[in-house]
Amino acid sequence: MADIRVVEGSEAVALAVKACRPHVIAAYPISPQTHIVETLARMVADGDLNAEYVRVESEFSAASVVSGASTAGSRSYTASASQGLLLMTEVLYASAGMRLPFVITGVNRSISAPINIQVDHQDTISLRDSGVIQLYVESAQEAYDMHLAAFKIAEDPSIMLPVMVCMDGWVLTHSYERVEFLDQEAVDRFLPPFKPENYLDTANPKTWGSYAEEDVLMEFKYSIHKAMTEGKSCIRKIMAELTALTGRDYGGLVEAYRTGDAEVVLVAMGSMAGTIKDAVDDMRREGKKVGLIRIRCYRPFPYEDLVAAVRGAKVVAVLDANVSMGSEGAVGLDVKSKLIGRPGVPMVIDFIAGLGGREVNSTAVREIVDRAERLSSSGLPPPEAEWLDLNPAIVP
Amino acid sequence: MKISSGAVVEGGTSLNYKTGNWRDQRPEIDPESCKQCGICQEVCPDDAVRQVRDRYEIDYNFCKGCGICAYECTAEAIRMKNEEK
Amino acid sequence: MPKKPTGKTESLFVSGHRACHGCGLALAVRHILEATGSNVIVVSPTGCLETFSSPYGFSPWRVPWIHHVFENAPAIASGVAAALRAQHRESTRVVAIGGDGATFDIGFGSLSGMLERGDDVLYICADNGAYMNTGGQRSGATPFCAATTTHPAGKTSLGKTERKKDLPEIVAAHGVPYVATASVAYLGDLKQKVKKAMTLHGPRYIQIDTPCPSVWNFPSHLTLEMGRLGVNSGLVPLFEMLDGKISKVKKLRVKVPVIEYLKQQKRFQHLVVKEASRGSLMAVQEQADRNIEKYKLMA
């Protein structure tokens, strides 16, 4: 009998982490991440989870504790959001460079200032260059499943990088959803114990965190890049295993939803994909050929999947819940960079959408599709990123 | 040789990096005056004094010529001499 | 006092590191490891020690060693200690060795967290009183009146206007079992303190005075001499604290006037040569006298 329950998204994540049998968990509170580490704390307090639970004094130390534990050969986990993720930034770059395979939940929340605790992707997007693999999820179920995959991806000898599972704050962490859980035996079969080739071992003393000069620095950086780009096949393989294990389709680094014959392809990440899928269904009923590509694995960037999925489309509209100030949204820039110069590619239009929890509802999605269609048939070059639902009247 | 994953390095490999050519002053132990007390070895920041049976010898592969051993030697058995290039 | 050859075993911090001539810190590290033995994992923050001991491919460390970033050595150490507990490898101990910039300043929050949590880590601060790895900038550990590159002596300046942060007292206030100060000038005392710390559990702290010939600017053969003068002037009191109470001090046989210590270092030259600095010189002497009184340093 499958174990199916309605749980809060944070609890689903905590149950996934527990099933992965981590040795060390580091915890520091920040909304809307806190329910995850609180749930894990209760499991430890009740003796249901046998892990060292380190209550640190900052997110900087949370990332550092899991880095130290990982170097010492322990499977390790932490979670954070927003400002906390930015505070971890330096540590995460170094941990990717040192090839430390811990898992971190990046609960998506806006970045100050002004301070705001609602969802957007500015926090995790700001870490996209760090060497940390990023998976974005749409539902509590996917959050559960992706945490299982995250440890397996991180610890694969060909990868050995931190993995961040990015999930929208409140919308996913605090909503209750039906989630199907695997039994412990199945998880243990999927994810064997962590046995790294190198770890801090007095019987075999090694030096970690060396100083590299210009003669090898580029090669070290390239080796991280290579682990990511070549790691895509490993991630696909693990996703296929997860699909077989769960019966839920995680084939591919992107989810292509009704894109087969689509003329307008929307691109998005995270929970807003749920709304977009409903809007796509409505428009399809009206005869509009619309589809959605939801990017699940954002780093490494799955350009092969993307290029295949937009083939035949007239226009691609990207919904970016982030912005690179003075430029455009990060996902839009990625999509454009991978399509430019290819024959017969569609126009790509970037929409900055949903910052600080601004609602992206089905009306907004329809508006995006309408504007994208109009712009692509206007004969004009693609405009700069449009800020969706902006009220220019109040901007000084 | 391929670079290692994460720049992890074997311990003790700095022995392949000789710092002796940093030296402009050379400590020399006078075996007649040496009392074999071992202070020179204790105080060397570069671990460049070796005990060979009952004697102490400077390892010129690594000695940087800081002169601490000569200054600290209670028997005044170590003299600093200009290094000849 | 001459003694018999020690017949000591192979060093755990070997030759070929790239520390400056006469580096007090490099000397301290070898002796720290002699005292801890080989069943330790060492964590270091960014700094001189990290730079001179970790050029890729050339490591002097014969114990497992990890450097991560500048301000997180205590948290890395906590993580390593947690992993060792989880793996039932607690017989392996965790030692952090960092400079004063990492310890007093940028890593202070991380250090305080580690101390408050009670993690089983021996944290050793090699204190040379400034950011030497970047050329000698002022830190919270820089002594009163010392000139640094970011607080130089000049026509209107006599160097650092603030006193050195009293970190041993601050660490002790966390309620840790062991706090000590040591000096590379007294290697036997240093090793004894490290050994003592290794017999205890929980967070422990040792602050070692490691004179820096390059930035204090004295001839490299005087590293230990400078350490002795610091101790014997009273400016660098050596003591042990068990459970927050002073349990032992190194008594001074002869009190050395601070001028004898200051005059040999370029960072204090302005106190020696400037008439206008007489008041500051007296203030430094008063500070040494206060230490002598506070720690009852005179035999």
Side-chain angles (χ1 to χ4, degrees):
Chain A
M1 266 298 273
D3 175 14
I4 300 172
R5 274 174 287 154
V6 174
V7 298
E8 194 192 45
S10 295
E11 189 182 350
V13 171
L15 286 163
V17 171
K18 173 177 180 267
C20 292
R21 302 184 187 275
H23 276 163
V24 176
I25 295 166
Y28 190 79
I30 184 169
S31 296
Q33 169 276 135
T34 312
H35 282 191
I36 298 172
V37 292
E38 284 176 343
T39 309
L40 288 164
R42 280 196 300 277
M43 292 168 174
V44 172
D46 288 336
D48 295 332
L49 171 58
N50 183 18
E52 292 293 328
Y53 188 99
V54 187
R55 296 147 187 99
V56 289
E57 78 295 338
S58 71
E59 290 92 350
F60 194 90
S61 284
S64 302
V65 162
V66 294
S67 299
S70 187
T71 320
S74 277
R75 183 173 289 160
S76 306
Y77 170 81
T78 190
S80 192
S82 184
Q83 308 298 124
L85 291 169
L86 294 201
L87 188 56
M88 289 178 173
T89 303
E90 185 195 7
V91 180
L92 295 178
Y93 271 82
S95 298
M98 291 167 72
R99 313 300 292 271
L100 304 178
F102 53 82
V103 169
I104 170 167
T105 308
V107 172
N108 288 108
R109 179 189 132 181
S110 185
I111 292 294
S112 290
I115 190 168
N116 167 299
I117 62 164
Q118 305 303 328
V119 61
D120 68 38
H121 293 167
Q122 195 70 50
D123 50 359
T124 55
I125 288 287
S126 299
L127 292 163
R128 67 168 185 188
D129 303 333
S130 62
V132 175
I133 287 174
Q134 289 194 342
L135 308 173
Y136 286 75
V137 302
E138 182 187 339
S139 65
Q141 179 70 67
E142 192 181 12
Y144 174 83
D145 293 334
M146 282 306 127
H147 278 82
L148 309 181
F151 283 103
K152 196 171 170 77
I153 292 167
E155 294 168 9
D156 190 280
S158 71
I159 294 185
M160 291 296 281
L161 287 170
V163 175
M164 179 176 289
V165 181
C166 306
M167 69 188 292
D168 289 345
W170 309 115
V171 179
L172 295 181
T173 52
H174 288 62
S175 299
Y176 281 71
E177 279 184 46
R178 173 192 184 278
V179 179
E180 210 174 302
F181 298 96
L182 295 175
D183 63 43
Q184 187 64 52
E185 223 175 282
V187 176
D188 290 343
R189 270 199 311 278
F190 177 72
L191 183 69
F194 177 41
K195 292 247 165 64
E197 186 193 333
N198 282 326
Y199 63 98
L200 295 167
D201 177 14
T202 51
N204 185 12
K206 294 193 176 178
T207 290
W208 297 69
S210 296
Y211 183 101
E213 297 277 11
E214 69 278 10
D215 58 338
V216 285
L217 193 279
M218 276 187 81
E219 284 72 15
F220 278 116
K221 295 293 180 190
Y222 183 73
S223 66
I224 302 169
H225 175 69
K226 187 171 168 230
M228 277 220 178
T229 52
E230 293 185 1
K232 282 189 268 191
S233 57
C234 172
I235 298 171
R236 286 192 184 93
K237 195 172 118 272
I238 290 169
M239 292 298 183
E241 274 181 60
L242 190 68
T243 301
L245 185 66
T246 62
R248 289 178 284 278
D249 183 9
Y250 293 119
L253 308 185
V254 306
E255 180 193 5
Y257 185 77
R258 305 187 80 164
T259 53
D261 62 343
E263 291 172 355
V264 181
V265 173
L266 298 157
V267 177
M269 303 199 296
S271 65
M272 78 164 72
T275 309
I276 298 172
K277 285 175 185 171
D278 283 347
V280 165
D281 291 344
D282 289 347
M283 287 183 276
R284 282 274 176 183
R285 274 192 288 276
E286 294 157 18
K288 268 194 194 302
K289 290 185 172 172
V290 184
L292 165 71
I293 297 170
R294 180 171 67 86
I295 297 174
R296 178 181 294 122
C297 178
Y298 174 61
R299 284 293 180 272
F301 194 75
Y303 70 89
E304 309 89 336
D305 310 47
L306 183 99
V307 169
V310 301
R311 194 163 290 140
K314 284 185 188 150
V315 60
V316 174
V318 181
L319 284 79
D320 255 311
N322 73 88
V323 61
S324 175
M325 292 295 179
S327 179
E328 302 190 294
V331 183
L333 291 170
D334 271 319
V335 171
K336 285 178 197 175
S337 80
K338 297 308 177 202
L339 292 182
I340 206 160
R342 288 171 195 270
V345 295
M347 178 184 278
V348 180
I349 303 166
D350 194 25
F351 292 88
I352 307 301
L355 299 189
R358 182 73 63 95
E359 189 184 4
V360 180
N361 55 26
S362 58
T363 311
V365 176
R366 281 170 174 276
E367 190 191 328
I368 285 172
V369 170
D370 288 347
R371 281 163 71 179
E373 278 185 318
R374 274 203 307 278
L375 286 162
S376 69
S377 55
S378 67
L380 297 168
E384 284 192 15
E386 300 208 0
W387 290 57
L388 188 75
D389 192 30
L390 187 76
N391 182 0
I394 63 168
V395 179
Chain B
M1 202 167 76
K2 301 260 192 204
I3 54 171
S4 63
S5 175
V8 177
V9 169
E10 292 293 331
T13 40
S14 65
L15 291 170
N16 296 321
Y17 186 82
K18 308 287 189 274
T19 52
N21 60 0
W22 294 23
R23 195 171 54 239
D24 61 3
Q25 295 264 302
R26 179 185 183 86
E28 288 187 358
I29 302 176
D30 170 18
E32 299 298 310
S33 318
C34 175
K35 303 258 194 306
Q36 288 94 40
C37 69
I39 281 178
C40 53
Q41 187 182 48
E42 283 277 300
V43 299
C44 177
D46 291 286
D47 195 29
V49 182
R50 312 271 176 246
Q51 191 180 354
V52 182
R53 288 177 298 280
D54 60 345
R55 296 178 45 199
Y56 288 89
E57 291 179 0
I58 309 288
D59 185 342
Y60 294 108
N61 284 316
F62 297 105
C63 168
K64 293 170 185 160
C66 70
I68 293 179
C69 56
Y71 185 81
E72 297 295 329
C73 176
T74 53
E76 296 183 20
I78 306 177
R79 290 282 146 80
M80 298 303 289
K81 299 193 173 156
N82 282 335
E83 191 68 56
E84 283 167 25
K85 293 284 172 190
Chain C
M1 181 69 71
K3 56 181 181 182
K4 290 285 166 232
T6 53
K8 74 180 193 64
T9 51
E10 201 171 55
S11 172
L12 296 169
F13 189 73
V14 302
S15 309
H17 63 71
R18 304 183 194 185
C20 304
H21 297 72
C23 176
L25 165 56
L27 178 58
V29 171
R30 181 159 62 86
H31 287 277
I32 289 165
L33 293 183
E34 208 178 299
T36 61
S38 60
N39 198 10
V40 291
I41 291 168
V42 176
V43 181
S44 291
T46 308
C48 280
L49 177 58
E50 164 270 325
T51 306
F52 73 65
S53 77
S54 77
Y56 175 66
F58 300 95
S59 166
W61 298 95
R62 281 224 163 111
V63 293
W65 179 82
I66 171 175
H67 154 250
H68 200 270
V69 296
F70 197 1
E71 61 273 49
N72 71 354
I76 293 286
S78 291
V80 172
L84 293 176
R85 280 196 302 277
Q87 298 170 24
H88 309 295
R89 286 203 280 152
E90 294 102 319
S91 65
T92 296
R93 307 294 297 280
V94 184
V95 178
I97 309 174
D100 53 278
T103 308
F104 283 60
D105 293 353
I106 198 167
F108 182 65
S110 172
L111 175 67
S112 179
M114 183 273 275
L115 298 170
E116 184 271 337
R117 284 190 299 274
D119 292 329
D120 190 31
V121 175
L122 168 57
Y123 191 99
I124 296 175
C125 173
D127 174 16
N128 50 27
Y131 291 86
M132 300 326 189
N133 198 34
T134 42
Q137 296 77 25
R138 175 206 189 275
S139 81
T142 300
F144 176 58
C145 280
T148 53
T149 58
T150 48
H151 201 157
K155 284 178 188 154
T156 61
S157 165
L158 288 166
K160 190 178 180 185
T161 45
E162 304 79 26
R163 63 174 203 164
K164 183 186 182 90
K165 191 190 280 189
D166 193 349
L167 201 54
E169 288 281 4
I170 296 167
V171 172
H174 286 76
V176 306
Y178 187 76
V179 172
T181 56
S183 166
V184 287
Y186 299 97
L187 291 165
D189 177 71
L190 186 162
K191 279 187 278 200
Q192 197 196 335
K193 284 168 174 165
V194 174
K195 279 184 180 159
K196 168 93 181 170
M198 293 297 286
T199 65
L200 301 167
H201 285 82
R204 292 139 290 144
Y205 178 76
I206 301 176
Q207 186 169 303
I208 304 177
D209 187 55
T210 54
C212 170
S214 298
V215 178
W216 295 12
N217 209 328
F218 60 81
S220 64
H221 62 275
L222 293 179
T223 299
L224 275 72
E225 179 66 18
M226 219 51 63
R228 280 190 289 269
L229 289 169
V231 170
N232 291 316
S233 66
L235 285 172
V236 183
L238 301 189
F239 55 83
E240 283 180 288
M241 295 171 92
L242 281 172
D243 295 321
K245 298 229 161 54
I246 298 281
S247 57
K248 200 173 164 189
V249 299
K250 180 167 180 58
K251 299 281 187 188
L252 312 184
R253 287 202 194 89
V254 186
K255 177 181 150 186
V256 175
V258 293
I259 187 77
E260 296 302 316
Y261 175 63
L262 307 179
K263 73 181 186 191
Q264 303 202 50
Q265 301 172 36
K266 198 174 172 195
R267 61 179 181 157
F268 291 117
Q269 279 312 296
H270 56 288
L271 295 188
V272 180
V273 298
K274 272 191 184 176
E275 184 61 28
S277 63
R278 182 142 309 161
S280 297
L281 184 58
M282 281 168 63
V284 175
Q285 184 62 57
E286 279 164 18
Q287 190 185 58
D289 294 342
R290 271 199 306 278
N291 281 342
I292 289 169
E293 199 184 314
K294 176 179 175 186
Y295 295 104
K296 301 182 175 63
L297 297 179
M298 291 313 293

